[in-house]
Amino acid sequence: AQKVTQAQTEISVVEKEDVTLDCVYETRDTTYYLFWYKQPPSGELVFLIRRNSFDEQNEISGRYSWNFQKSTSSFNFTITASQVVDSAVYFCALSEARMDSSYKLIFGSGTRLLVRP
Amino acid sequence: GAVVSQHPSRVICKSGTSVKIECRSLDFQATTMFWYRQFPKQSLMLMATSNEGSKATYEQGVEKDKFLINHASLTLSTLTVTSAHPEDSSFYICSARASDSTTNEKLFFGSGTQLSVL
């Protein structure tokens, strides 16, 4: 069965610190997708990144970077020089790449990030 | 970018009443929409998958007679919580997958509905 583990329940950092959010997943499929979403206090989910299981290249987008390690089934997310606006709950999610509509996103339990001024 | 509109954003109702939540894809067609439920400080749990023109597929443990899902068009899915009770109070989020997407690369979320049942 699929499973996504975000072991860090809450993280508190001071502004400008770097912070890494961990995500470990389990799946028996060879083809799958991994996602990160941000949920600010307002509640909506903001898409951050989608990664195909065949693409192990790390990705950087501004202050955000992602480290995909298939060997350890991890997809960690790093925020460099954190800002107060980064305070939110971050979810890692996994889905199988099926062609029909029977797939579903499995979400981790989320990591609440608090960035203090 | 693609937008999913979810209404209402917040609803307070009396126990025993029914509440309808709408999820609309504004600038794309969505053959498949998903409904999630989120309790405070917890993760999102998939409730059901709705496909336009067919019956929704419910996850184990979700009462289909209590959570009625209708996906009558390619841009609208509704979730009706029937005979709501205080334990149904939760944050409900919908997501829509673009019809020209065969995987999850075009999956967009609504802004959520906070339901409070008194």
Side-chain angles (χ1 to χ4, degrees):
Chain A
Q2 292 182 317
K3 185 179 177 182
V4 178
T5 301
Q6 293 180 258
Q8 304 150 307
T9 306
E10 291 189 15
I11 300 176
S12 180
V13 299
V14 177
E15 204 170 20
K16 297 184 183 177
E17 284 185 19
D18 298 346
V19 59
T20 295
L21 283 61
D22 298 332
C23 175
V24 176
Y25 63 92
E26 294 177 31
T27 180
R28 283 178 288 188
D29 293 306
T30 56
T31 303
Y32 50 90
Y33 289 90
L34 294 162
F35 299 78
W36 275 96
Y37 288 90
K38 175 182 180 180
Q39 187 177 39
S42 52
E44 78 275 17
L45 279 177
V46 178
F47 168 83
L48 296 178
I49 190 172
R50 164 186 167 273
R51 171 65 71 215
N52 184 308
S53 56
F54 292 116
D55 182 3
E56 288 194 68
Q57 276 194 332
N58 291 329
E59 183 158 338
I60 297 175
S61 177
R63 295 185 297 109
Y64 296 168
S65 63
W66 290 269
N67 185 346
F68 179 29
Q69 296 276 349
K70 211 167 179 179
S71 59
T72 56
S73 296
S74 65
F75 187 44
N76 297 338
F77 172 35
T78 297
I79 302 175
T80 304
S82 60
Q83 300 175 1
V84 173
V85 294
D86 295 328
S87 297
V89 179
Y90 291 85
F91 290 98
C92 179
L94 165 72
S95 83
E96 298 170 317
R98 291 180 178 172
M99 295 300 291
D100 63 13
S101 59
S102 62
Y103 69 86
K104 61 183 179 181
L105 278 185
I106 305 296
F107 283 86
S109 54
T111 297
R112 183 175 300 275
L113 174 64
L114 174 63
V115 182
R116 295 171 280 126
Chain B
V3 176
V4 173
S5 174
Q6 186 175 340
H7 290 282
S9 59
R10 181 179 294 273
V11 58
I12 301 173
C13 68
K14 292 182 179 179
S15 186
T17 61
S18 294
V19 174
K20 179 184 284 188
I21 303 170
E22 289 190 351
C23 182
R24 291 181 186 273
S25 55
L26 296 186
D27 51 0
F28 65 97
Q29 293 185 327
T31 306
T32 303
M33 291 189 176
F34 304 89
W35 288 95
Y36 292 85
R37 183 174 183 176
Q38 185 182 28
F39 290 105
K41 297 189 177 182
Q42 293 190 25
S43 188
L44 286 78
M45 300 301 296
L46 180 66
M47 297 174 66
T49 302
S50 76
N51 294 297
E52 185 266 336
S54 62
K55 289 184 179 180
T57 302
Y58 290 81
E59 295 299 304
Q60 192 172 11
V62 178
E63 300 175 60
K64 58 181 66 176
D65 294 330
K66 180 164 189 63
F67 298 100
L68 301 178
I69 291 173
N70 184 283
H71 194 158
S73 77
L74 286 172
T75 59
L76 173 66
S77 176
T78 61
L79 167 67
T80 300
V81 183
T82 61
S83 186
H85 291 283
E87 58 265 29
D88 298 324
S89 298
S90 187
F91 192 64
Y92 294 87
I93 304 178
C94 71
S95 67
R97 184 178 69 165
S99 296
D100 60 348
S101 165
T102 55
T103 61
N104 268 325
E105 74 272 21
K106 294 184 180 180
L107 181 69
F108 306 99
F109 284 83
S111 55
T113 297
Q114 181 63 53
L115 170 63
S116 299
V117 184
L118 305 177

